[in-house]
């Protein structure tokens, strides 16, 4: 651990692990408050891999741009030495992410799904207003704090839409928007598509576009044939189905923006 980090925080037990680093609980030596510290081992990033290197420094840069917001995990401090980058972040209870909740509790009642997706879309409205596209919205990146509020995290794949739209295949198979896979230019609405997939999974317990392999999943996403199987959607309201059709719309010009999602009757009128 960086000596500067140790001067400010007592680093405690490991609470998570990723491709490039480890997440620990840490305690401020000044306030006694608990945080999470995400420690990334720069040596595990392949020399010459510009994408991984970009992701390493993208996250703190983007988090500084979009913070503070009640539904976005906040970056409090950043430390770096020759071998590691340490990000001190808000602490959320271990394993309390949307993925684990779906596995343990799902499918969700509409009221619970509405509460979660509303907070998630509020975060999207905020970052899209700043020109930021997350590009990896998925249940694993939706954390819950001690008050059960949504905290969007993992901005390593995020980018800023400046004068030109974005290009490049980024994201996770089940959640990636079709225009990304088709190699077209894209913007903020890729996050709305991914959020629509998350909402569908919360209600159904399975993804709308599935396959045995990544290639099969991509083919299903590109077809965009949205179905509502009776076994999962028999008791789901017409209102949320309408919202899903408008979020998971292949035609980007007809797909809702994040702001329009918040104005949809299923969100505003409680179903």
């Amino acid at each position: 651990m960086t000596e500067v980090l140790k001067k400010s925080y007592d680093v405690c037990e490991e609470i998570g692990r990723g491709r490039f680093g480890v997440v620990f609980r840490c305690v401020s030596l000044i306030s006694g408050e608990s945080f999470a510290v995400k420690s990334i081992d720069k040596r595990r990033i392949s020399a010459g891999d510009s994408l991984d290197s970009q992701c390493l420094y993208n996250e703190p840069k983007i988090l500084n741009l979009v913070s503070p917001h009640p539904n976005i995990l906040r970056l409090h401090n950043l430390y770096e030495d020759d071998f590691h980058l340490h990000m001190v972040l808000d602490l959320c209870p271990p394993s309390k992410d949307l993925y684990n909740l779906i596995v343990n509790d799902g499918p969700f009642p509409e009221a619970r799904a509405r509460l979660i997706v509303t907070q998630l879309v509020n975060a999207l409205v905020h970052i899209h207003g700043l020109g930021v596209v997350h590009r990896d919205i998925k249940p694993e990146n939706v954390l819950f704090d001690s008050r059960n509020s949504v905290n969007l995290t993992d901005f390593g794949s995020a980018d800023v839409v400046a004068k030109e739209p974005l290009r490049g295949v980024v994201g996770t198979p089940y959640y990636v928007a079709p225009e990304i896979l088709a190699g077209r230019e894209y913007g903020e609405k890729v996050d709305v598509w991914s959020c629509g997939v998350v909402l569908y999974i919360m209600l159904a317990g399975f993804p709308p576009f599935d396959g045995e392999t990544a290639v099969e999943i991509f083919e299903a996403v590109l077809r965009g044939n949205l179905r509502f199987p009776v076994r999962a959607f028999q008791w789901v309201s017409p209102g949320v189905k309408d919202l899903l059709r408008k979020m998971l719309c292949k035609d980007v010009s007809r797909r809702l923006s994040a702001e329009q999602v918040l104005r949809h009757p299923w969100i505003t009128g409680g179903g």
Side-chain angles (χ1 to χ4, degrees), residues 3-12 26-35 79:
E3 290 304 315
V4 179
L5 173 67
K6 289 184 175 181
K7 289 179 181 178
S8 300
Y9 299 91
D10 181 20
V11 180
C12 307
C26 66
V27 179
S28 169
L29 296 177
I30 297 173
S31 69
E33 187 176 358
S34 291
F35 297 91
Y79 302 94

Side-chain angles (χ1 to χ4, degrees), residues 28-119:
S28 169
L29 296 177
I30 297 173
S31 69
E33 187 176 358
S34 291
F35 297 91
V37 56
K38 185 176 182 179
S39 298
I40 300 170
D41 190 338
K42 296 190 289 186
R43 293 166 293 186
R44 298 185 65 180
I45 296 176
S46 304
D49 192 330
S50 59
L51 182 59
D52 282 343
S53 181
Q54 179 185 347
C55 289
L56 173 68
Y57 292 101
N58 240 17
E59 187 164 22
K61 180 181 72 175
I62 296 291
L63 279 174
N64 274 324
L65 175 62
V66 301
S67 293
H69 186 275
N71 299 122
I72 295 174
L73 202 70
R74 185 174 179 180
L75 175 68
H76 292 271
N77 279 301
L78 182 69
Y79 302 94
E80 185 176 10
D81 59 24
D82 291 340
F83 302 117
H84 292 89
L85 185 74
H86 305 288
M87 291 186 288
V88 179
L89 304 155
D90 288 333
L91 177 67
C92 291
S95 300
K96 197 169 182 183
D97 58 59
L98 183 54
Y99 177 83
N100 278 298
L101 287 186
I102 292 170
V103 169
N104 294 325
D105 302 343
F108 292 171
E110 285 188 44
R112 188 179 187 187
R114 183 186 302 111
L115 179 64
I116 292 170
V117 82
T118 299
Q119 294 177 75

Side-chain angles (χ1 to χ4, degrees), residues 183-260:
R184 300 197 300 269
E185 294 178 337
Y186 57 86
E188 295 95 336
K189 286 187 178 181
V190 299
D191 288 342
V192 174
W193 175 282
S194 302
C195 189
V197 175
V198 171
L199 175 57
Y200 186 105
I201 292 174
M202 282 195 286
L203 295 169
F206 53 83
F209 311 108
D210 204 353
E212 295 296 323
T213 65
V215 171
E216 290 182 4
I217 296 168
F218 290 155
E219 290 172 348
V221 170
L222 285 167
R223 286 194 299 271
N225 187 13
L226 182 62
R227 296 178 181 274
F228 299 107
V230 173
R231 71 182 189 277
F233 285 89
Q234 183 176 5
W235 307 112
V236 173
S237 71
V240 72
K241 292 178 185 176
D242 179 72
L243 176 58
L244 285 167
R245 289 188 189 98
K246 292 173 178 176
M247 296 176 76
L248 297 172
C249 178
K250 279 182 65 179
D251 184 344
V252 180
S253 67
R254 294 173 53 215
R255 188 184 308 157
L256 297 184
S257 67
E259 287 186 338
Q260 289 171 325

